[in-house]
Amino acid sequence: MASELQWRRNWKPNLASCPWKQLSSYSVKGSAAGDSCLLIKSLFGEESYELLITDLTTFWHETLSVDSLKSRINKLNPHIEAPIGKILNHIKENILHPEKSTQMTLEIKGGEMILEMKSQMAGIPFLYRVEASLANHEMSRDHLTVPLMLMTGELFRQRMELFNLLTAKDKEIADYKSQGVKVSRKYMETLPFDELVFQNNMVTSKGFEDDVVTNGSKSLTSVGQDLYREIITKRTWLLSSPSKEPEHNESLESGPTEPSVESWSNRLPSSMVDNISPIKSNQESPKKVEASPIKDSEQLRREALERKLAQEEAREKEKRKKKKLKF
């Protein structure tokens, strides 16, 4: 069976792995749609697309092949001739990142949702309509309910990891203080981390109220979208490998544990990891670290993930080798 690293390199993302985004700058025809917030996720190919739209109550879905797409475009824009790939890119950009001149109108007729887009393509008026029908209940479960539950669980795990790391840092600072070490500036000194006090401060803060009022819109930021994408990718890999069993099954009620500091270094970009090294003796002169070129954040994230997966794969091979030696 292929390793996860090999699988990720060959896997083609589907609509499920595409994160949700908030649909903005649209007007509503009639009162059927109300004033609710619309979320959209999309997967655009070279000659086709797939869309899923929801107002958190109803889900609408449309997938269009190249023939149906060309037919609709020709019907709405008989005088426009352009490569289908260019037209698809124009539709994608104006739906997800509409220009000021773009006008979008939403209308719901029965079980169908029509999203009409009027824009300019190369200075020529361009009209397009998304005609999405009601999605099945499984899509609402697989694309929103389950992913949000997985994201909540993962954020809680990361939260506990940070708490454990803060506790370890407090122990380190206490050790320094016991040896007479003091901070150079008084304002930099911090109190030991208290989980209960922190939780009470969070739920009584203004930020907590703002998150509730905005219905958790921060989950749609780039950070939230990256987490969504990674969780669905991991889940797809696990579902494709039914024989794969988790190595650990830790209870959420277990007490504080030592933070997995090693895993943190594996997630850092290479330019940062290279600067992390054990303390050397005074006889060794420090090596000059060359500045690495600036890379795209998505590329850095992928490189860090690939290094981590490669290390995990190497450890798995070592475990299997040790098992073979036993008799």
Side-chain angles (χ1 to χ4, degrees):
M1 185 177 293
S3 67
E4 182 178 357
L5 182 57
Q6 293 172 327
W7 177 86
R8 281 177 177 262
R9 288 172 176 170
N10 298 327
W11 178 61
K12 294 182 179 179
N14 51 20
L15 183 65
S17 63
C18 299
W20 289 96
K21 295 183 179 181
Q22 187 168 349
L23 191 65
S24 57
S25 303
Y26 65 90
S27 58
V28 180
K29 283 185 180 180
S31 58
D35 298 322
S36 57
C37 169
L38 284 182
L39 302 181
I40 183 171
K41 58 159 48 185
S42 60
L43 181 65
F44 282 83
E46 294 180 358
E47 296 183 329
S48 61
Y49 72 75
E50 187 176 6
L51 295 173
L52 186 61
I53 306 174
T54 181
D55 59 0
L56 301 182
T57 301
T58 308
F59 288 76
W60 297 272
H61 175 251
E62 181 180 47
T63 178
L64 221 56
S65 61
V66 59
D67 293 334
S68 300
L69 181 61
K70 287 181 178 179
S71 176
R72 185 178 299 177
I73 292 173
N74 291 333
K75 180 180 178 181
L76 297 173
N77 306 274
H79 303 297
I80 288 183
E81 292 185 4
I84 192 66
K86 183 176 180 180
I87 294 177
L88 267 175
N89 186 65
H90 178 80
I91 295 172
K92 174 184 176 181
E93 290 301 318
N94 277 274
I95 288 179
L96 301 180
H97 311 287
E99 298 179 356
K100 290 183 179 180
S101 59
T102 301
Q103 298 178 1
M104 286 196 294
T105 306
L106 177 69
E107 183 178 11
I108 296 178
K109 293 181 178 180
E112 189 177 49
M113 188 212 69
I114 300 174
L115 182 64
E116 185 178 271
M117 180 188 75
K118 295 180 180 180
S119 61
Q120 295 280 328
M121 190 171 72
I124 302 175
F126 180 81
L127 174 65
Y128 190 76
R129 290 193 186 99
V130 172
E131 301 174 1
S133 56
L134 287 174
N136 57 50
H137 296 299
E138 287 77 10
M139 294 195 79
S140 63
R141 175 199 65 196
D142 297 338
H143 290 264
L144 188 64
T145 306
V146 171
L148 286 181
M149 291 181 67
L150 292 173
M151 287 179 69
T152 301
E154 171 57 15
L155 288 173
F156 181 78
R157 187 191 69 82
Q158 292 182 12
R159 182 172 180 262
M160 296 308 298
E161 182 84 2
L162 287 172
F163 284 2
N164 293 334
L165 188 62
L166 285 171
T167 302
K169 288 291 184 183
D170 282 340
K171 290 180 181 178
E172 181 181 354
I173 293 172
D175 182 61
Y176 290 150
K177 287 184 176 181
S178 68
Q179 300 176 46
V181 178
K182 296 182 179 180
V183 294
S184 58
R185 295 174 180 83
K186 189 68 177 177
Y187 71 87
M188 296 177 64
E189 190 170 7
T190 58
L191 296 173
F193 176 71
D194 188 305
E195 182 178 340
L196 182 60
V197 173
F198 174 80
Q199 291 176 346
N200 289 336
N201 288 340
M202 288 297 98
V203 297
T204 56
S205 65
K206 182 64 167 59
F208 179 75
E209 181 178 330
D210 292 340
D211 283 341
V212 174
V213 170
T214 56
N215 295 320
S217 60
K218 288 184 178 179
S219 62
L220 302 176
T221 60
S222 59
V223 176
Q225 290 171 355
D226 286 342
L227 179 60
Y228 182 100
R229 189 181 296 107
E230 288 299 336
I231 281 179
I232 298 303
T233 303
K234 173 67 76 171
R235 184 169 186 263
T236 306
W237 152 250
L238 292 174
L239 291 176
S240 68
S241 307
S243 61
K244 183 175 178 59
E245 296 180 358
E247 296 181 5
H248 304 286
N249 186 19
E250 298 176 355
S251 171
L252 293 177
E253 300 298 327
S254 59
T257 58
E258 291 297 323
S260 55
V261 179
E262 181 184 355
S263 64
W264 286 84
S265 62
N266 290 335
R267 298 171 193 169
L268 294 174
S270 57
S271 58
M272 296 178 63
V273 174
D274 291 341
N275 292 327
I276 303 175
S277 58
I279 300 175
K280 299 184 178 181
S281 60
N282 295 330
Q283 284 78 10
E284 294 182 4
S285 59
K287 295 182 180 180
K288 184 178 179 181
V289 180
E290 297 180 358
S292 60
I294 298 175
K295 297 181 179 180
D296 182 76
S297 59
E298 176 69 13
Q299 182 181 352
L300 289 173
R301 183 182 63 79
R302 289 182 178 275
E303 289 177 356
L305 179 60
E306 287 192 359
R307 285 196 301 273
K308 185 175 186 300
L309 291 173
Q311 291 171 356
E312 290 178 351
E313 184 178 345
R315 284 196 291 268
E316 286 294 326
K317 289 182 179 179
E318 187 66 24
K319 287 181 182 179
R320 290 194 293 268
K321 188 183 297 183
K322 289 181 179 179
K323 288 182 180 179
K324 290 181 180 179
L325 294 175
K326 292 181 179 181
F327 56 88

